[in-house]
Amino acid sequence: KAGVTQTPRYLIKTRGQQVTLSCSPISGHRSVSWYQQTPGQGLQFLFEYFSETQRNKGNFPGRFSGRQFSNSRSEMNVSTLELGDSALYLCASSSLSGADNEQFFGPGTRLTVL
Amino acid sequence: DQQVKQNSPSLSVQEGRISILNCDYTNSMFDYFLWYKKYPAEGPTFLISISSIKDKNEDGRFTVFLNKSAKHLSLHIVPSQPGDSAVYFCAASATGTASKLTFGTGTRLQVTL
């Protein structure tokens, strides 16, 4: 079974630009969550999508948004980029079946904002 | 407000010995706990989990212990192997927000020969 894939793996943008990151979950997984990892704040939850609906949201500004498509693929968008948005963005998928709440992570997209 | 804490940023253990990684949490609503291993430039890899209805879960060399009264969990790796060298994160979630994981800051484990 293929794992979670994220594209692109690396991205360089400048302040004020916007960026869109893509995530394809494990086949059959309907829940996709996004996390931001920075050296200072660690791994922080951004939001979760399930059946094309945002179901949970972390404490990030409205510049961070996402969506999920009918095939469970998800995109994350960050508008008006700031230097502090430089981070590793991780996507995770889960089947959320029964007691198994394990999330499986992709390799991440390394975003650098100059 | 750090709801999940890993107070040891690093740990060094000899190959073949036991590695014990600790994690504390403050939120009483957390009822599911997970451990992940992370190598540089890769996403976290799921290791083992435990529900709050249990106090121990074992999977091969990995055992997780949960002490709900102390709000403490630990991951035991026996025997430790050089390939176990990585950063280990504990994470927690609450019923109804299972996909919203709150992570600790990680412990870097170095297994030496």
Side-chain angles (χ1 to χ4, degrees):
Chain A
K1 206 178 216 184
V4 177
T5 58
Q6 291 187 246
T7 56
R9 291 293 311 276
Y10 301 92
L11 207 47
I12 299 175
K13 292 284 187 179
T14 55
R15 278 183 302 172
Q17 286 187 310
Q18 75 162 17
V19 66
T20 299
L21 313 180
S22 180
C23 170
S24 292
I26 291 171
S27 177
H29 285 190
R30 295 166 63 192
S31 168
V32 175
S33 298
W34 289 88
Y35 293 83
Q36 181 196 65
Q37 184 182 24
T38 59
Q41 299 296 321
L43 271 153
Q44 292 190 290
F45 174 80
L46 280 154
F47 32 65
E48 181 226 356
Y49 284 86
F50 183 85
S51 294
E52 302 178 64
T53 301
Q54 188 182 88
R55 194 162 63 166
N56 286 297
K57 191 176 187 307
N59 298 322
F60 278 81
R63 300 186 297 106
F64 292 83
S65 63
R67 59 177 175 168
Q68 187 179 34
F69 302 94
S70 57
N71 62 358
S72 293
R73 190 177 70 84
S74 177
E75 286 181 349
M76 189 192 96
N77 185 76
V78 187
S79 62
T80 320
L81 284 166
E82 300 177 359
L83 295 179
D85 297 333
S86 294
L88 180 67
Y89 290 89
L90 293 158
C91 161
S93 76
S94 174
S95 64
L96 293 180
S97 59
D100 294 333
N101 292 334
E102 293 84 5
Q103 292 186 37
F104 297 89
F105 284 82
T109 294
R110 170 72 62 184
L111 172 65
T112 302
V113 182
L114 302 175
Chain B
D1 175 28
Q2 195 70 30
Q3 297 185 64
V4 178
K5 300 176 187 179
Q6 294 176 257
N7 291 319
S8 298
S10 63
L11 175 68
S12 184
V13 171
Q14 237 177 354
E15 181 182 11
R17 300 287 187 111
I18 183 171
S19 294
I20 300 177
L21 295 96
N22 294 303
C23 179
D24 297 293
Y25 63 95
T26 58
N27 190 337
S28 301
M29 300 302 291
F30 289 150
D31 57 6
Y32 197 76
F33 305 89
L34 309 90
W35 283 94
Y36 285 86
K37 178 168 79 170
K38 189 179 185 300
Y39 295 114
E42 293 184 13
T45 302
F46 169 74
L47 278 175
I48 191 168
S49 62
I50 187 166
S51 163
S52 60
I53 62 173
K54 296 183 177 180
D55 53 19
K56 178 182 173 182
N57 189 26
E58 231 173 317
D59 185 0
R61 296 186 297 114
F62 302 93
T63 303
V64 56
F65 295 92
L66 175 62
N67 182 333
K68 289 186 291 292
S69 60
K71 293 190 175 68
H72 176 83
L73 62 155
S74 61
L75 174 69
H76 292 210
I77 306 173
V78 184
S80 301
Q81 299 173 354
D84 296 329
S85 297
V87 178
Y88 289 77
F89 291 93
C90 72
S93 67
T95 299
T97 57
S99 287
K100 181 179 178 180
L101 293 179
T102 300
F103 281 87
T105 50
T107 296
R108 182 176 301 278
L109 173 65
Q110 180 72 39
V111 180
T112 59
L113 297 172

PDB file of all heavy atoms in Angstrom, chain A residues 77-106:
ATOM      1  N   ASN A  77      -3.147  25.967   1.713  1.00  0.00           N
ATOM      2  CA  ASN A  77      -2.742  27.236   1.119  1.00  0.00           C
ATOM      3  C   ASN A  77      -2.317  28.205   2.222  1.00  0.00           C
ATOM      4  O   ASN A  77      -2.962  28.285   3.276  1.00  0.00           O
ATOM      5  CB  ASN A  77      -3.899  27.832   0.328  1.00  0.00           C
ATOM      6  CG  ASN A  77      -3.498  29.091  -0.418  1.00  0.00           C
ATOM      7  OD1 ASN A  77      -2.833  29.032  -1.439  1.00  0.00           O
ATOM      8  ND2 ASN A  77      -3.878  30.237   0.110  1.00  0.00           N
ATOM      9  N   VAL A  78      -1.226  28.903   1.969  1.00  0.00           N
ATOM     10  CA  VAL A  78      -0.817  29.971   2.884  1.00  0.00           C
ATOM     11  C   VAL A  78      -0.702  31.241   2.052  1.00  0.00           C
ATOM     12  O   VAL A  78       0.033  31.285   1.060  1.00  0.00           O
ATOM     13  CB  VAL A  78       0.536  29.680   3.565  1.00  0.00           C
ATOM     14  CG1 VAL A  78       0.817  30.734   4.632  1.00  0.00           C
ATOM     15  CG2 VAL A  78       0.564  28.290   4.162  1.00  0.00           C
ATOM     16  N   SER A  79      -1.444  32.251   2.435  1.00  0.00           N
ATOM     17  CA  SER A  79      -1.405  33.505   1.688  1.00  0.00           C
ATOM     18  C   SER A  79      -0.529  34.513   2.430  1.00  0.00           C
ATOM     19  O   SER A  79      -0.249  34.375   3.627  1.00  0.00           O
ATOM     20  CB  SER A  79      -2.830  34.055   1.529  1.00  0.00           C
ATOM     21  OG  SER A  79      -3.382  34.344   2.792  1.00  0.00           O
ATOM     22  N   THR A  80      -0.103  35.529   1.704  1.00  0.00           N
ATOM     23  CA  THR A  80       0.703  36.620   2.274  1.00  0.00           C
ATOM     24  C   THR A  80       1.795  36.059   3.188  1.00  0.00           C
ATOM     25  O   THR A  80       1.833  36.296   4.402  1.00  0.00           O
ATOM     26  CB  THR A  80      -0.176  37.608   3.058  1.00  0.00           C
ATOM     27  OG1 THR A  80      -1.409  37.830   2.363  1.00  0.00           O
ATOM     28  CG2 THR A  80       0.544  38.942   3.204  1.00  0.00           C
ATOM     29  N   LEU A  81       2.686  35.305   2.601  1.00  0.00           N
ATOM     30  CA  LEU A  81       3.717  34.606   3.368  1.00  0.00           C
ATOM     31  C   LEU A  81       4.563  35.564   4.204  1.00  0.00           C
ATOM     32  O   LEU A  81       4.900  36.676   3.776  1.00  0.00           O
ATOM     33  CB  LEU A  81       4.619  33.818   2.430  1.00  0.00           C
ATOM     34  CG  LEU A  81       4.036  32.516   1.882  1.00  0.00           C
ATOM     35  CD1 LEU A  81       4.866  32.013   0.714  1.00  0.00           C
ATOM     36  CD2 LEU A  81       3.949  31.460   2.989  1.00  0.00           C
ATOM     37  N   GLU A  82       4.895  35.080   5.409  1.00  0.00           N
ATOM     38  CA  GLU A  82       5.778  35.799   6.314  1.00  0.00           C
ATOM     39  C   GLU A  82       7.021  34.944   6.550  1.00  0.00           C
ATOM     40  O   GLU A  82       6.996  33.724   6.362  1.00  0.00           O
ATOM     41  CB  GLU A  82       5.060  36.071   7.641  1.00  0.00           C
ATOM     42  CG  GLU A  82       3.809  36.890   7.493  1.00  0.00           C
ATOM     43  CD  GLU A  82       3.080  37.070   8.822  1.00  0.00           C
ATOM     44  OE1 GLU A  82       3.557  36.540   9.850  1.00  0.00           O
ATOM     45  OE2 GLU A  82       2.017  37.744   8.821  1.00  0.00           O
ATOM     46  N   LEU A  83       8.110  35.605   6.990  1.00  0.00           N
ATOM     47  CA  LEU A  83       9.348  34.863   7.242  1.00  0.00           C
ATOM     48  C   LEU A  83       9.114  33.715   8.221  1.00  0.00           C
ATOM     49  O   LEU A  83       9.689  32.636   8.089  1.00  0.00           O
ATOM     50  CB  LEU A  83      10.423  35.805   7.784  1.00  0.00           C
ATOM     51  CG  LEU A  83      10.915  36.900   6.830  1.00  0.00           C
ATOM     52  CD1 LEU A  83      11.962  37.771   7.516  1.00  0.00           C
ATOM     53  CD2 LEU A  83      11.476  36.306   5.551  1.00  0.00           C
ATOM     54  N   GLY A  84       8.262  33.957   9.201  1.00  0.00           N
ATOM     55  CA  GLY A  84       7.989  32.958  10.231  1.00  0.00           C
ATOM     56  C   GLY A  84       7.219  31.746   9.737  1.00  0.00           C
ATOM     57  O   GLY A  84       7.057  30.777  10.476  1.00  0.00           O
ATOM     58  N   ASP A  85       6.780  31.784   8.504  1.00  0.00           N
ATOM     59  CA  ASP A  85       6.063  30.627   7.943  1.00  0.00           C
ATOM     60  C   ASP A  85       7.033  29.578   7.430  1.00  0.00           C
ATOM     61  O   ASP A  85       6.604  28.490   7.032  1.00  0.00           O
ATOM     62  CB  ASP A  85       5.140  31.065   6.794  1.00  0.00           C
ATOM     63  CG  ASP A  85       4.046  32.017   7.254  1.00  0.00           C
ATOM     64  OD1 ASP A  85       3.660  31.944   8.450  1.00  0.00           O
ATOM     65  OD2 ASP A  85       3.578  32.821   6.430  1.00  0.00           O
ATOM     66  N   SER A  86       8.314  29.896   7.442  1.00  0.00           N
ATOM     67  CA  SER A  86       9.315  28.905   7.029  1.00  0.00           C
ATOM     68  C   SER A  86       9.248  27.727   7.991  1.00  0.00           C
ATOM     69  O   SER A  86       9.402  27.890   9.205  1.00  0.00           O
ATOM     70  CB  SER A  86      10.720  29.520   7.067  1.00  0.00           C
ATOM     71  OG  SER A  86      10.848  30.543   6.097  1.00  0.00           O
ATOM     72  N   ALA A  87       9.017  26.564   7.453  1.00  0.00           N
ATOM     73  CA  ALA A  87       8.797  25.388   8.306  1.00  0.00           C
ATOM     74  C   ALA A  87       8.705  24.147   7.438  1.00  0.00           C
ATOM     75  O   ALA A  87       8.675  24.221   6.213  1.00  0.00           O
ATOM     76  CB  ALA A  87       7.492  25.545   9.107  1.00  0.00           C
ATOM     77  N   LEU A  88       8.640  23.005   8.138  1.00  0.00           N
ATOM     78  CA  LEU A  88       8.314  21.741   7.478  1.00  0.00           C
ATOM     79  C   LEU A  88       6.820  21.530   7.661  1.00  0.00           C
ATOM     80  O   LEU A  88       6.327  21.510   8.791  1.00  0.00           O
ATOM     81  CB  LEU A  88       9.102  20.600   8.114  1.00  0.00           C
ATOM     82  CG  LEU A  88       8.868  19.204   7.534  1.00  0.00           C
ATOM     83  CD1 LEU A  88       9.390  19.119   6.095  1.00  0.00           C
ATOM     84  CD2 LEU A  88       9.530  18.126   8.393  1.00  0.00           C
ATOM     85  N   TYR A  89       6.104  21.390   6.575  1.00  0.00           N
ATOM     86  CA  TYR A  89       4.663  21.173   6.638  1.00  0.00           C
ATOM     87  C   TYR A  89       4.381  19.704   6.380  1.00  0.00           C
ATOM     88  O   TYR A  89       4.731  19.156   5.329  1.00  0.00           O
ATOM     89  CB  TYR A  89       3.929  22.074   5.641  1.00  0.00           C
ATOM     90  CG  TYR A  89       3.985  23.518   6.083  1.00  0.00           C
ATOM     91  CD1 TYR A  89       5.041  24.337   5.700  1.00  0.00           C
ATOM     92  CD2 TYR A  89       3.011  24.030   6.932  1.00  0.00           C
ATOM     93  CE1 TYR A  89       5.118  25.651   6.142  1.00  0.00           C
ATOM     94  CE2 TYR A  89       3.076  25.344   7.374  1.00  0.00           C
ATOM     95  CZ  TYR A  89       4.142  26.143   6.984  1.00  0.00           C
ATOM     96  OH  TYR A  89       4.218  27.433   7.439  1.00  0.00           O
ATOM     97  N   LEU A  90       3.751  19.094   7.358  1.00  0.00           N
ATOM     98  CA  LEU A  90       3.495  17.659   7.313  1.00  0.00           C
ATOM     99  C   LEU A  90       2.014  17.387   7.167  1.00  0.00           C
ATOM    100  O   LEU A  90       1.180  18.033   7.795  1.00  0.00           O
ATOM    101  CB  LEU A  90       4.006  16.998   8.599  1.00  0.00           C
ATOM    102  CG  LEU A  90       5.519  17.007   8.780  1.00  0.00           C
ATOM    103  CD1 LEU A  90       5.884  16.842  10.241  1.00  0.00           C
ATOM    104  CD2 LEU A  90       6.162  15.890   7.963  1.00  0.00           C
ATOM    105  N   CYS A  91       1.731  16.400   6.359  1.00  0.00           N
ATOM    106  CA  CYS A  91       0.372  15.947   6.168  1.00  0.00           C
ATOM    107  C   CYS A  91       0.280  14.539   6.740  1.00  0.00           C
ATOM    108  O   CYS A  91       1.242  13.755   6.643  1.00  0.00           O
ATOM    109  CB  CYS A  91       0.071  15.967   4.670  1.00  0.00           C
ATOM    110  SG  CYS A  91      -1.315  14.972   4.149  1.00  0.00           S
ATOM    111  N   ALA A  92      -0.837  14.222   7.355  1.00  0.00           N
ATOM    112  CA  ALA A  92      -1.034  12.887   7.911  1.00  0.00           C
ATOM    113  C   ALA A  92      -2.419  12.387   7.550  1.00  0.00           C
ATOM    114  O   ALA A  92      -3.373  13.169   7.512  1.00  0.00           O
ATOM    115  CB  ALA A  92      -0.872  12.915   9.429  1.00  0.00           C
ATOM    116  N   SER A  93      -2.530  11.106   7.294  1.00  0.00           N
ATOM    117  CA  SER A  93      -3.848  10.551   7.004  1.00  0.00           C
ATOM    118  C   SER A  93      -4.186   9.462   8.003  1.00  0.00           C
ATOM    119  O   SER A  93      -3.309   8.854   8.624  1.00  0.00           O
ATOM    120  CB  SER A  93      -3.932  10.018   5.568  1.00  0.00           C
ATOM    121  OG  SER A  93      -3.272   8.782   5.415  1.00  0.00           O
ATOM    122  N   SER A  94      -5.480   9.249   8.156  1.00  0.00           N
ATOM    123  CA  SER A  94      -5.954   8.269   9.116  1.00  0.00           C
ATOM    124  C   SER A  94      -7.259   7.676   8.625  1.00  0.00           C
ATOM    125  O   SER A  94      -8.046   8.353   7.969  1.00  0.00           O
ATOM    126  CB  SER A  94      -6.161   8.936  10.477  1.00  0.00           C
ATOM    127  OG  SER A  94      -6.747   8.049  11.382  1.00  0.00           O
ATOM    128  N   SER A  95      -7.473   6.417   8.979  1.00  0.00           N
ATOM    129  CA  SER A  95      -8.742   5.799   8.624  1.00  0.00           C
ATOM    130  C   SER A  95      -9.791   6.067   9.684  1.00  0.00           C
ATOM    131  O   SER A  95     -10.986   6.010   9.427  1.00  0.00           O
ATOM    132  CB  SER A  95      -8.561   4.287   8.467  1.00  0.00           C
ATOM    133  OG  SER A  95      -8.196   3.714   9.708  1.00  0.00           O
ATOM    134  N   LEU A  96      -9.317   6.355  10.910  1.00  0.00           N
ATOM    135  CA  LEU A  96     -10.214   6.598  12.041  1.00  0.00           C
ATOM    136  C   LEU A  96     -11.232   5.478  12.196  1.00  0.00           C
ATOM    137  O   LEU A  96     -12.404   5.717  12.452  1.00  0.00           O
ATOM    138  CB  LEU A  96     -10.927   7.938  11.883  1.00  0.00           C
ATOM    139  CG  LEU A  96     -10.052   9.180  11.974  1.00  0.00           C
ATOM    140  CD1 LEU A  96     -10.887  10.423  11.809  1.00  0.00           C
ATOM    141  CD2 LEU A  96      -9.299   9.217  13.297  1.00  0.00           C
ATOM    142  N   SER A  97     -10.758   4.245  11.988  1.00  0.00           N
ATOM    143  CA  SER A  97     -11.685   3.119  12.088  1.00  0.00           C
ATOM    144  C   SER A  97     -11.577   2.505  13.480  1.00  0.00           C
ATOM    145  O   SER A  97     -10.504   2.131  13.922  1.00  0.00           O
ATOM    146  CB  SER A  97     -11.349   2.073  11.026  1.00  0.00           C
ATOM    147  OG  SER A  97     -10.030   1.628  11.189  1.00  0.00           O
ATOM    148  N   GLY A  98     -12.665   2.415  14.171  1.00  0.00           N
ATOM    149  CA  GLY A  98     -12.696   1.798  15.487  1.00  0.00           C
ATOM    150  C   GLY A  98     -11.772   2.496  16.466  1.00  0.00           C
ATOM    151  O   GLY A  98     -11.783   3.710  16.582  1.00  0.00           O
ATOM    152  N   ALA A  99     -10.934   1.731  17.124  1.00  0.00           N
ATOM    153  CA  ALA A  99     -10.056   2.304  18.133  1.00  0.00           C
ATOM    154  C   ALA A  99      -8.730   2.737  17.543  1.00  0.00           C
ATOM    155  O   ALA A  99      -7.885   3.270  18.265  1.00  0.00           O
ATOM    156  CB  ALA A  99      -9.811   1.270  19.235  1.00  0.00           C
ATOM    157  N   ASP A 100      -8.537   2.511  16.262  1.00  0.00           N
ATOM    158  CA  ASP A 100      -7.254   2.856  15.650  1.00  0.00           C
ATOM    159  C   ASP A 100      -7.270   4.308  15.217  1.00  0.00           C
ATOM    160  O   ASP A 100      -7.881   4.648  14.211  1.00  0.00           O
ATOM    161  CB  ASP A 100      -6.971   1.956  14.450  1.00  0.00           C
ATOM    162  CG  ASP A 100      -6.774   0.524  14.876  1.00  0.00           C
ATOM    163  OD1 ASP A 100      -6.346   0.306  16.022  1.00  0.00           O
ATOM    164  OD2 ASP A 100      -7.065  -0.370  14.080  1.00  0.00           O
ATOM    165  N   ASN A 101      -6.595   5.135  15.976  1.00  0.00           N
ATOM    166  CA  ASN A 101      -6.539   6.547  15.630  1.00  0.00           C
ATOM    167  C   ASN A 101      -5.182   6.955  15.118  1.00  0.00           C
ATOM    168  O   ASN A 101      -4.864   8.137  15.088  1.00  0.00           O
ATOM    169  CB  ASN A 101      -6.878   7.387  16.865  1.00  0.00           C
ATOM    170  CG  ASN A 101      -8.321   7.227  17.267  1.00  0.00           C
ATOM    171  OD1 ASN A 101      -9.162   6.913  16.437  1.00  0.00           O
ATOM    172  ND2 ASN A 101      -8.612   7.419  18.527  1.00  0.00           N
ATOM    173  N   GLU A 102      -4.370   5.972  14.726  1.00  0.00           N
ATOM    174  CA  GLU A 102      -3.024   6.308  14.298  1.00  0.00           C
ATOM    175  C   GLU A 102      -3.057   7.149  13.041  1.00  0.00           C
ATOM    176  O   GLU A 102      -3.837   6.885  12.127  1.00  0.00           O
ATOM    177  CB  GLU A 102      -2.217   5.026  14.022  1.00  0.00           C
ATOM    178  CG  GLU A 102      -1.926   4.184  15.225  1.00  0.00           C
ATOM    179  CD  GLU A 102      -3.065   3.253  15.578  1.00  0.00           C
ATOM    180  OE1 GLU A 102      -4.045   3.205  14.821  1.00  0.00           O
ATOM    181  OE2 GLU A 102      -2.954   2.574  16.611  1.00  0.00           O
ATOM    182  N   GLN A 103      -2.223   8.145  13.032  1.00  0.00           N
ATOM    183  CA  GLN A 103      -2.058   8.955  11.840  1.00  0.00           C
ATOM    184  C   GLN A 103      -0.732   8.589  11.197  1.00  0.00           C
ATOM    185  O   GLN A 103       0.267   8.385  11.877  1.00  0.00           O
ATOM    186  CB  GLN A 103      -2.062  10.441  12.193  1.00  0.00           C
ATOM    187  CG  GLN A 103      -3.418  10.923  12.673  1.00  0.00           C
ATOM    188  CD  GLN A 103      -3.452  12.413  12.887  1.00  0.00           C
ATOM    189  OE1 GLN A 103      -2.848  13.177  12.136  1.00  0.00           O
ATOM    190  NE2 GLN A 103      -4.150  12.836  13.910  1.00  0.00           N
ATOM    191  N   PHE A 104      -0.736   8.525   9.885  1.00  0.00           N
ATOM    192  CA  PHE A 104       0.452   8.174   9.129  1.00  0.00           C
ATOM    193  C   PHE A 104       0.905   9.398   8.346  1.00  0.00           C
ATOM    194  O   PHE A 104       0.121   9.994   7.599  1.00  0.00           O
ATOM    195  CB  PHE A 104       0.144   7.000   8.195  1.00  0.00           C
ATOM    196  CG  PHE A 104      -0.239   5.758   8.944  1.00  0.00           C
ATOM    197  CD1 PHE A 104      -1.562   5.514   9.278  1.00  0.00           C
ATOM    198  CD2 PHE A 104       0.723   4.857   9.343  1.00  0.00           C
ATOM    199  CE1 PHE A 104      -1.928   4.385   9.999  1.00  0.00           C
ATOM    200  CE2 PHE A 104       0.369   3.709  10.052  1.00  0.00           C
ATOM    201  CZ  PHE A 104      -0.945   3.484  10.392  1.00  0.00           C
ATOM    202  N   PHE A 105       2.154   9.764   8.547  1.00  0.00           N
ATOM    203  CA  PHE A 105       2.654  11.019   8.015  1.00  0.00           C
ATOM    204  C   PHE A 105       3.367  10.841   6.681  1.00  0.00           C
ATOM    205  O   PHE A 105       4.000   9.818   6.419  1.00  0.00           O
ATOM    206  CB  PHE A 105       3.633  11.652   9.010  1.00  0.00           C
ATOM    207  CG  PHE A 105       2.966  12.294  10.185  1.00  0.00           C
ATOM    208  CD1 PHE A 105       2.569  11.540  11.273  1.00  0.00           C
ATOM    209  CD2 PHE A 105       2.737  13.663  10.200  1.00  0.00           C
ATOM    210  CE1 PHE A 105       1.938  12.126  12.354  1.00  0.00           C
ATOM    211  CE2 PHE A 105       2.115  14.258  11.290  1.00  0.00           C
ATOM    212  CZ  PHE A 105       1.719  13.493  12.365  1.00  0.00           C
ATOM    213  N   GLY A 106       3.273  11.893   5.881  1.00  0.00           N
ATOM    214  CA  GLY A 106       4.061  11.979   4.666  1.00  0.00           C
ATOM    215  C   GLY A 106       5.439  12.538   4.991  1.00  0.00           C
ATOM    216  O   GLY A 106       5.738  12.858   6.137  1.00  0.00           O
TER     217      GLY A 106
END
